Amino acid sequence: MTGGIGLDAIRALPKAELHLHVEGTLEPQLAFALAQRNGVALPFASVEDLRARYDFTDLQSFLDLYYACMAVLRTRKDFADLAAAYLARAHADGVRHVEMFFDPQVHLGNGIDVDTVIDGLRDALDDARVRYGMTGGLILCFVRDLPVDSARAVLESVAHRAGDLIGVGLDSAEVGYPPHLFAEVYARAAELGLRRVAHAGEEGPAAYVTESLDVLGVERIDHGIRCLEDPALVERLARERIPLTVCPLSNVRLRAVDAIEAHPIRALLDAGVVATVNSDDPAYFGGYVGDNYAALALTDAEAVLLARNSIEASFASDARKAELLAALEAATR
Ligand code: ADE
Ligand code: ZN
């Protein structure tokens, strides 16, 4: 992709990343290193063989590979190493605040308890605060194609340490798993003082976006690009300033949009929606957050608006948001 603001200028903009699955930052080399460290057999011959399978036809074709690779994550240190590698990369892209998704039900299925996962990820986040001055936290995602009872159970298992989380989200296979299935689980999350977000309108219909807002009480929508099929919903998102965490390279790789040139980010911005740009699963989709901005061939003003939106849409404290907005202002003067 040529044209638009360059990667160096993008990296110089202070920004937040709000849609990032930490398991989706597992690069093939690290997957093989962890497999060896833990004596886990990966069903791929080599790093090259694994990378050659990154030719996805839809969300499910990606999820099958993504869940298979998670088997290499076994210890607190594995989770810390995984997140630390991502945080170093994000820091280089000008990310000052990150809200990181993780999928505890999948790790539980691999015999890893949720405390091991949270402790490891928190180790890396604590280190990034000291090393880079980066703020952020964790959003526990419910896997929508696993039984709702297991979502309820995992939430109860972390109730005593809800303070170690920012909030809850909903991910994995979308079509056929409408948000209302998780109404009770989200009500409990709210009771625990957790912020709420959900993937909706990635492959699923605009109605799932509306349902996430009205039934789950989410404050932010992950992806949400299919909202454009419902003009009244687009108007509502803009009016109520409900942010969308959009992931352009993911949308192209998973064929939610035909090509990066056809990506609807401008249509969302033009409609006044608080859209943000994020990397989703950067190890699998060909780029980290800076690459996602760069792929869109943005004007300088569009890139600054997206960076500002990312800060405003974050769950950082008002004081931290003000600090980051001032840093963004200083970087663009
Ligand atoms: N889990 C990881 N990436 C995802 C995506 N793009 N959509 C739904 N679930 C996911
Ligand atoms: Zn996602």
Side-chain angles (χ1 to χ4, degrees):
M1 189 79 208
T2 55
I5 183 173
L7 194 51
D8 288 344
I10 290 163
R11 287 181 167 154
L13 298 174
K15 59 182 76 62
E17 181 151 47
L18 308 177
H19 186 153
L20 182 279
H21 301 264
V22 70
E23 297 93 343
T25 72
L26 181 60
E27 294 284 351
Q29 292 87 343
L30 184 58
F32 273 85
L34 293 179
Q36 190 170 32
R37 181 154 108 188
N38 293 321
V40 174
L42 271 175
F44 316 109
S46 62
V47 164
E48 294 68 37
D49 175 38
L50 172 52
R51 209 181 275 288
R53 294 168 196 249
Y54 288 8
D55 184 19
F56 309 115
T57 50
D58 57 11
L59 175 58
Q60 191 60 54
S61 67
F62 155 69
L63 290 170
D64 292 343
L65 188 69
Y66 167 78
Y67 292 134
C69 288
M70 276 192 215
V72 304
L73 296 162
R74 311 277 323 160
T75 68
R76 176 172 178 163
K77 183 164 169 23
D78 295 342
F79 288 96
D81 289 352
L82 174 70
Y86 160 73
L87 290 163
R89 233 0 229 89
H91 173 65
D93 274 355
V95 173
R96 304 280 188 96
H97 177 89
V98 60
E99 296 177 8
M100 191 181 270
F101 295 141
F102 68 108
D103 284 335
Q105 288 157 278
V106 180
H107 303 301
L108 271 171
N110 292 335
I112 313 302
D113 67 70
V114 64
D115 290 311
T116 299
V117 183
I118 294 176
D119 289 343
L121 298 177
R122 285 239 50 101
D123 288 346
L125 285 164
D126 291 347
D127 186 58
R129 182 182 274 268
V130 174
R131 216 181 261 265
Y132 312 125
M134 203 187 283
T135 52
L138 300 173
I139 296 180
L140 181 157
C141 280
F142 304 117
V143 174
R144 63 203 311 159
D145 48 336
L146 287 177
V148 175
D149 269 350
S150 86
R152 196 177 288 123
V154 83
L155 181 61
E156 277 321 315
S157 76
V158 298
H160 69 286
R161 60 181 307 186
D164 284 335
L165 303 173
I166 298 173
V168 297
L170 187 61
D171 66 5
S172 200
E174 185 183 3
V175 175
Y177 300 95
H180 73 256
L181 298 173
F182 295 85
E184 215 186 283
V185 180
Y186 268 65
R188 176 65 177 140
E191 215 174 81
L192 292 169
L194 293 166
R195 313 295 290 257
R196 289 162 286 168
V197 300
H199 282 55
E202 178 186 19
E203 283 191 344
Y208 283 16
V209 174
T210 303
E211 217 180 85
S212 298
L213 297 171
D214 294 341
V215 180
L216 303 185
V218 306
E219 297 172 69
R220 211 162 66 196
I221 295 287
D222 299 313
H223 292 295
I225 55 174
R226 286 194 60 191
C227 71
L228 287 162
E229 294 165 22
D230 179 350
L233 173 60
V234 174
E235 199 195 304
R236 174 184 179 188
L237 294 171
R239 191 178 58 246
E240 298 182 14
R241 294 193 64 73
I242 296 157
L244 300 188
T245 64
V246 179
C247 306
L249 291 175
S250 164
N251 294 152
V252 175
R253 287 297 188 97
L254 301 187
R255 307 195 189 177
V257 304
D258 290 338
I260 198 71
E261 294 77 11
H263 197 278
I265 193 80
R266 279 187 192 79
L268 293 167
L269 292 176
D270 289 348
V273 173
V274 184
T276 66
V277 166
N278 308 272
S279 66
D280 205 6
D281 301 284
Y284 292 90
F285 299 149
Y288 285 76
V289 69
D291 304 308
N292 275 269
Y293 277 71
L296 292 167
L298 302 165
T299 64
D300 290 9
E302 287 169 338
V304 172
L305 172 60
L306 288 163
R308 186 180 308 121
N309 285 351
S310 75
I311 295 165
E312 286 173 352
S314 78
F315 294 138
S317 68
D318 287 347
R320 179 61 174 156
K321 284 189 192 182
E323 192 175 270
L324 292 175
L325 289 170
L328 178 61
E329 175 76 15
T332 53
R333 211 173 283 135

